[in-house]
């Protein structure tokens, strides 16, 4: 169900849209279809507070989980209200019926008939891949050299929670909070 700040699914409120960084502020898109694939304001390296490709070295992002001190969701005002979703929260979401659709001209997947994830793809050195068929979202994680993710493919009924992918990929983030 919809609240004034997001959608209640399982034991969490999911933000109304994806996280982005603009004008020195961490923000959440007011629409579930919000996404900018040009530039890097919507894409994060594993474990990083700020989006973008300041460097592609992973030597400082090899921790097993995303530290709360660099969780960009915690920087959305009011601070420490939102956080990165856990694998369990994504599992609750993935258990919902899903269908692939478009919202405001953006392709993606709709979960439970109420929550939409854009097909965002990922950046790797500095090319955008998969933005026509793949959604990749970071979780709080539990992986060392590979970041913990939630992923889905547009052309199939595939949705994987807790998979891992390279921590030097830039991926999008959706924020959650307790209900």
């Amino acid at each position: 169900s919809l609240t004034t700040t997001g959608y209640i699914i399982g034991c969490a409120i999911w933000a109304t849209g994806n996280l982005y960084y603009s004008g020195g502020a961490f923000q959440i898109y007011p629409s579930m279809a919000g996404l900018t694939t040009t530039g890097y304001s919507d894409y994060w390296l594993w474990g990083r507070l700020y989006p973008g490709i300041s460097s592609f070295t992973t030597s400082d992002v090899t921790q097993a989980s995303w530290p709360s001190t660099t969780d960009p969701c915690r920087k959305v005002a009011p601070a420490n209200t939102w956080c990165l979703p856990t694998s369990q929260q994504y599992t609750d979401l993935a258990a919902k019926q899903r269908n692939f659709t478009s919202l405001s001209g953006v392709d993606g997947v709709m979960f439970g008939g109420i929550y939409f994830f854009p097909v965002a793809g990922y950046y790797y050195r500095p090319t955008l891949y998969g933005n026509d068929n793949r959604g990749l979202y970071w979780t709080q994680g539990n992986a060392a050299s590979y970041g913990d993710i939630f992923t889905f493919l547009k052309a199939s009924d595939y949705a994987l929670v807790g998979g891992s992918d390279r921590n030097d990929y830039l991926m999008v983030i959706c924020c959650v909070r307790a209900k």
Side-chain angles (χ1 to χ4, degrees):
S1 63
L2 178 63
T3 71
T4 56
T5 57
Y7 296 84
I8 298 173
I9 299 173
C11 294
I13 297 175
W14 290 78
T16 56
N18 286 333
L19 179 69
Y20 71 103
Y21 183 78
S22 179
F26 296 87
Q27 301 175 58
I28 293 172
Y29 280 107
S31 164
M32 294 187 298
L35 180 68
T36 301
T37 57
T38 56
Y40 305 107
S41 64
D42 294 9
Y43 292 81
W44 274 257
L45 284 168
W46 172 254
R48 295 283 174 87
L49 178 58
Y50 294 97
I53 55 168
S54 57
S55 76
F56 281 107
T57 179
T58 59
S59 61
D60 59 340
V61 289
T62 57
Q63 63 275 358
S65 62
W66 201 304
S68 62
T69 55
T70 60
D71 179 342
C73 292
R74 293 185 181 276
K75 304 299 182 185
V76 174
N80 297 311
T81 303
W82 298 95
C83 65
L84 280 154
T86 64
S87 291
Q88 184 58 55
Q89 287 166 323
Y90 275 118
T91 298
D92 292 345
L93 181 72
K96 303 291 183 192
Q97 178 186 7
R98 58 187 173 267
N99 66 305
F100 295 89
T101 187
S102 290
L103 183 65
S104 301
V106 176
D107 288 342
V109 63
M110 183 75 72
F111 286 89
I114 60 169
Y115 199 79
F116 181 81
F117 277 88
V119 172
Y122 64 95
Y123 274 97
Y124 179 67
R125 302 181 188 245
T127 303
L128 181 63
Y129 295 96
N131 64 314
D132 59 343
N133 67 1
R134 190 174 179 197
L136 293 159
Y137 288 77
W138 288 122
T139 74
Q140 285 181 10
N142 192 15
S145 61
Y146 287 83
D148 202 30
I149 64 167
F150 168 66
T151 185
F152 59 84
L153 297 176
K154 177 179 151 189
S156 71
D157 191 33
Y158 177 82
L160 175 67
V161 180
S164 62
D165 220 324
R166 297 174 56 113
N167 61 10
D168 57 348
Y169 286 176
L170 284 87
M171 298 183 202
V172 291
I173 292 174
C174 184
C175 301
V176 297
R177 63 190 259 183
K179 65 176 184 177

